[in-house]
Amino acid sequence: MTKREMPVYLFTGFLESGKTSFIQESLESEDFNSEEQVTLLLCCEEGEVEYEPEKFASGAVYIETIDEESDFNMLSLGRLENRYHPTRIVVEWNGMWLLDTLYGNMPPHWITYQEMCFAHAPTFLTYNQNMRNLVFDKLKSAEMVVFNRFSKMYDKMAFHKIVRTANRN
């Protein structure tokens, strides 16, 4: 039996980039939620901001934390899907884990509907200088890149050049 397509909304980036806040605001919005929607939120890192489920627009959001990269595998993901029967998956990906782990271990019927990369502008250039492979990994397949806390003091072209090198879209 073929399982129905499971939409996955993927949020990547590093600490303090705004992933949790963006997900929180999305799950609070009536526009992103409906009565029938059951969301499985997979948190692969703990940041400064914590989720406030009591503010979610829907009571059908289940939060699971995956602390170890090795625990993000088809068997554990299948168990979570069977436990909660979600209609969509939201993943807050750990910035220190490669996306190959995610894409290599997602069940085949899990389809990435949207991939967004968030970056903390004050630390982005330093991250790129010292951890270029991790930065490139998060940018290469992102459909949208958000630079939080960006000010006029930053050279916009330096950021643009890095993103364009990693992702021609």
Side-chain angles (χ1 to χ4, degrees):
M1 179 175 116
T2 305
K3 291 190 174 194
R4 68 174 173 74
E5 191 173 280
M6 179 66 63
V8 175
Y9 297 89
L10 176 58
F11 297 82
T12 68
F14 298 97
L15 288 174
E16 295 189 37
S17 63
K19 296 184 304 289
T20 304
S21 296
F22 189 89
I23 294 168
Q24 176 74 37
E25 289 174 17
S26 297
L27 292 173
E28 287 178 16
S29 170
E30 296 288 338
D31 295 336
F32 190 66
N33 298 280
S34 68
E35 296 282 329
E36 323 67 63
Q37 206 88 55
V38 177
T39 303
L40 174 58
L41 171 55
L42 300 177
C43 302
C44 299
E45 71 179 3
E46 289 187 45
E48 296 293 315
V49 177
E50 293 193 19
Y51 288 105
E52 298 178 67
E54 66 278 1
K55 292 184 177 181
F56 293 162
S58 166
V61 177
Y62 301 97
I63 303 173
E64 286 286 339
T65 302
I66 300 176
D67 292 318
E68 300 295 327
E69 189 172 7
S70 60
D71 292 336
F72 197 94
N73 59 62
M74 269 197 240
L75 183 61
S76 65
L77 298 175
R79 285 183 185 143
L80 292 172
E81 184 177 2
N82 290 335
R83 181 182 309 154
Y84 298 111
H85 304 286
T87 53
R88 68 177 171 193
I89 310 286
V90 174
V91 178
E92 181 178 6
W93 191 246
N94 187 316
M96 302 309 285
W97 299 352
L98 293 174
L99 284 170
D100 287 348
T101 299
L102 178 128
Y103 287 117
N105 289 294
M106 282 193 333
H109 64 285
W110 286 25
I111 309 298
T112 305
Y113 270 33
Q114 195 166 24
E115 182 180 332
M116 295 157 272
C117 178
F118 290 77
H120 180 243
T123 59
F124 178 75
L125 296 176
T126 303
Y127 273 22
N128 185 59
Q129 187 175 13
N130 296 317
M131 300 184 296
R132 189 176 316 259
N133 65 324
L134 289 173
V135 171
F136 186 87
D137 179 68
K138 305 310 171 279
L139 293 173
K140 67 183 177 187
S141 54
E143 297 169 67
M144 176 174 75
V145 178
V146 176
F147 290 103
N148 282 315
R149 300 170 196 92
F150 197 93
S151 73
K152 292 182 181 187
M153 67 183 246
Y154 300 122
D155 175 12
K156 188 178 1 177
M157 287 312 294
F159 289 75
H160 178 78
K161 186 190 273 185
I162 294 166
V163 173
R164 290 294 289 173
T165 298
N167 185 328
R168 299 303 294 171
N169 293 325

